[in-house]
């Protein structure tokens, strides 16, 4: 699906409490560096799980004021009720999504802690939703508590200028990268700097994403190593690089990890997308020329399906169904367990009927039928043949 009028700046999924997935798109008033008559817009679209597509018309629309400038970036709260957008002139604005089914509306609120702070290249909520971080074009890093907006860190010299950021699965760490190729790790509890990611002289760390499956404590980074693009893997217990793999094999503009941590996706600067299985670090899906010749600006996995949402300034928003092995459904797991139980019961019955146990021994030709077997009585008193004698319990 491609978006309608307007230049799409970003796109993101919204997880609703009623297990409904929506899509929010941000559209700019600039096109090719020139202002148009169209205002900057935020639009909410529905998502059809059966057809894996988003609706052609928005469920809700919010028009930004001209004084706010253009949209820059977005972060959606894990609960799906709030999201924050950065603008070129107005700092950051918070939006609350109200309604259900097809009746939605957006309520905008100013954020005093992030008002008039300039364009924020990177915005992110922690996985548990308790913290919010913003990284400015000017290199200023802010980490706040949510929704109280208490300041955890206010560091104006965190980077030369922000390139990317991501929270760890346990919300304990924040990874950030700079346009100068450096990467840093911050502890979100107190905002202290934990480590600087090691790199060689010819390496530039550009993108970063933490693993999300809870068993592999890794940090994935898209690295430009000379004229080669690689995906490096860091151990978050030591922050040392443990290996790298050439997945996309071209410069990446965006990186994403699925919510269950099974897949890692990379979008290129010329419109390709590759998806790799984290367990094997092998590419399992390719979408070549998905945004032909254009930098992919957004790339996110659908919360409930093997579908990705991508955006670019030229081609708008596109939803792509991944050609990866299907996941087990919950009812399929129950059917499998029931089948295993029934198979075990049948196997036990067959074994019992054919066993030579004391209680189920085969009858010989001269033996009486089982119904005629006389009861056996055991003398509880000790006998000379019993070498142990009576047992005192």
């Amino acid at each position: 699906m491609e978006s309608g009028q307007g230049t799409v700046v970003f796109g993101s999924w919204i997880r609703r409490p009623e297990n409904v997935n929506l899509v929010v798109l941000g559209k700019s008033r600039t096109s090719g560096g020139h202002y148009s008559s169209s205002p900057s817009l935020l639009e909410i679209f529905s998502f059809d799980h059966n057809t894996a597509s988003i609706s052609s018309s928005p469920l809700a629309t919010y028009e930004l004021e001209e004084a706010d400038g253009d949209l820059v970036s977005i972060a959606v709260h894990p609960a799906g009720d709030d999201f924050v957008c950065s603008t070129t002139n107005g700092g950051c604005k918070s939006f609350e999504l109200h309604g259900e089914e097809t009746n939605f509306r957006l309520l905008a609120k100013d954020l005093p802690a992030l008002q008039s702070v300039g364009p924020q290249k990177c915005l992110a909520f922690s996985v548990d939703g308790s913290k919010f971080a913003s990284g400015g074009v000017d290199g200023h890093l802010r980490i706040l508590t949510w929704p109280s907006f208490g300041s955890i860190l206010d560091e104006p010299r965190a980077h030369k200028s922000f390139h990317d950021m991501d929270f760890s699965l346990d919300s304990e760490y924040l990874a950030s990268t700079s346009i100068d190729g450096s990467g840093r790790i911050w502890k979100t509890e107190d905002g202290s700097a934990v480590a600087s990611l090691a790199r060689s002289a010819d390496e530039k760390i550009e993108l970063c994403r933490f693993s999300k499956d809870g068993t592999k404590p890794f940090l994935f980074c898209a690295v430009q190593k000379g004229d080669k693009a690689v995906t490096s893997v860091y151990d978050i217990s030591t922050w040392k690089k443990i290996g790298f793999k050439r997945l996309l094999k071209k410069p990446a503009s965006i990186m994403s990890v699925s919510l269950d941590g099974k897949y890692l996706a990379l979008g290129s600067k010329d419109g390709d997308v590759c998806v790799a299985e984290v367990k094997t670090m092998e590419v399992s899906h390719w979408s070549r020329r998905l945004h032909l010749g254009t930098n992919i600006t957004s790339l996110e996995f659908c919360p409930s399906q093997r579908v990705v949402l991508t955006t670019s300034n030229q081609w708008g928003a596109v939803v792509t169904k991944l050609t990866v092995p299907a996941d087990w459904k919950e009812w399929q797991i129950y059917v499998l367990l029931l089948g295993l139980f029934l198979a075990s019961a049948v196997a036990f019955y067959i074994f019992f009927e054919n066993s030579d146990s004391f209680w189920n021994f085969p009858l010989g030709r001269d033996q009486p039928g089982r119904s005629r077997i006389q009861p056996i009585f055991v003398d509880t008193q000790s006998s000379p043949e019993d070498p142990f004698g009576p047992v005192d319990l």
Side-chain angles (χ1 to χ4, degrees):
M1 180 269 178
E2 295 182 7
S3 65
Q5 297 179 351
T7 302
V8 175
V9 179
F10 54 68
S12 184
W13 295 97
I14 300 176
R15 287 178 288 167
R16 297 294 293 165
E18 56 270 21
N19 199 27
V20 173
N21 295 317
L22 305 175
V23 171
V24 55
L25 298 181
K27 296 181 179 180
S28 171
R29 59 167 50 90
T30 60
S31 179
H34 302 286
Y35 277 94
S36 66
S37 58
S38 301
S40 293
L41 298 175
L42 281 170
E43 295 180 333
I44 307 296
F45 294 84
S46 63
F47 174 71
D48 189 329
H49 290 263
N50 296 322
T51 61
S53 62
I54 62 177
S55 58
S56 57
S57 57
L59 301 175
T61 301
Y62 182 89
E63 182 177 324
L64 275 74
E65 298 179 1
E66 187 173 354
D68 293 326
D70 286 323
L71 292 165
V72 177
S73 55
I74 188 173
V76 179
H77 192 274
D81 293 324
D82 302 275
F83 56 89
V84 177
C85 293
S86 170
T87 63
T88 54
N89 298 336
C92 292
K93 285 183 176 293
S94 174
F95 294 87
E96 290 184 0
L97 184 61
H98 297 270
E100 57 186 15
E101 295 182 354
T102 59
N103 184 24
F104 289 98
R105 61 187 180 90
L106 288 170
L107 177 63
K109 298 188 302 181
D110 290 325
L111 297 179
L114 295 172
Q115 202 165 11
S116 303
V117 295
Q120 301 298 293
K121 174 70 186 318
C122 304
L123 303 175
F125 281 100
S126 60
V127 177
D128 62 7
S130 66
K131 300 177 182 69
F132 175 79
S134 68
V137 175
D138 59 359
H140 198 136
L141 173 62
R142 297 171 177 87
I143 303 178
L144 308 172
T145 58
W146 186 273
S148 61
F149 304 110
S151 178
I152 298 175
L153 175 65
D154 191 316
E155 176 52 67
R157 298 181 183 87
H159 287 297
K160 181 178 180 180
S161 182
F162 270 81
H163 193 137
D164 197 17
M165 67 164 52
D166 190 42
F167 279 96
S168 61
L169 180 63
D170 58 6
S171 303
E172 185 176 355
Y173 298 106
L174 176 75
S176 62
T177 63
S178 171
I179 61 171
D180 62 10
S182 63
R184 302 184 71 179
I185 307 298
W186 312 84
K187 195 171 182 62
T188 61
E189 183 180 1
D190 56 10
S192 59
V194 176
S196 294
L197 298 178
R199 60 189 177 107
S200 59
D202 64 340
E203 288 183 330
K204 292 186 66 176
I205 303 173
E206 297 184 336
L207 307 170
C208 58
R209 287 294 181 274
F210 281 97
S211 58
K212 294 291 192 291
D213 65 353
T215 62
K216 302 177 181 64
F218 299 144
L219 173 68
F220 302 105
C221 292
V223 179
Q224 194 65 29
K225 186 178 177 66
D227 60 350
K228 295 181 179 180
V230 300
T231 301
S232 296
V233 184
Y234 292 81
D235 185 341
I236 70 172
S237 62
T238 62
W239 304 112
K240 293 182 178 180
K241 184 165 60 176
I242 59 177
F244 67 89
K245 190 73 177 287
R246 294 197 70 190
L247 297 174
L248 189 60
K249 299 181 180 179
K250 58 176 64 178
S253 62
I254 194 75
M255 176 187 279
S256 181
V257 174
S258 62
L259 291 180
D260 59 5
K262 291 184 178 180
Y263 292 98
L264 169 71
L266 291 161
S268 74
K269 296 180 180 180
D270 62 357
D272 290 357
V273 170
C274 80
V275 179
E277 186 180 2
V278 170
K279 184 178 181 180
T280 61
M281 287 301 283
E282 297 291 339
V283 175
S284 55
H285 173 90
W286 271 103
S287 288
R288 302 184 189 275
R289 298 179 291 277
L290 184 64
H291 293 259
L292 181 60
T294 306
N295 185 61
I296 295 180
T297 55
S298 300
L299 170 61
E300 277 193 16
F301 285 89
C302 177
S304 59
Q305 287 185 275
R306 297 304 181 198
V307 171
V308 293
L309 170 70
T310 53
T311 66
S312 66
N313 293 339
Q314 181 176 346
W315 300 102
V318 179
V319 173
T320 305
K321 192 169 185 178
L322 302 179
T323 55
V324 297
D327 295 314
W328 282 85
K329 306 288 187 185
E330 186 175 353
W331 65 268
Q332 291 175 318
I333 296 175
Y334 286 132
V335 169
L336 176 63
L337 293 176
L338 178 61
L340 292 174
F341 174 77
L342 294 176
S344 300
V346 171
F348 177 78
Y349 176 78
I350 294 174
F351 174 79
F352 177 79
E353 286 295 317
N354 294 276
S355 66
D356 291 330
S357 68
F358 174 80
W359 300 107
N360 192 30
F361 55 85
L363 296 177
R365 181 169 46 184
D366 299 328
Q367 287 178 293
R370 294 179 186 175
S371 60
R372 297 167 56 191
I373 295 177
Q374 299 297 320
I376 300 175
F377 296 95
V378 180
D379 187 1
T380 58
Q381 296 182 355
S382 62
S383 63
E385 290 80 9
D386 186 359
F388 298 103
V391 179
D392 184 9
L393 299 178

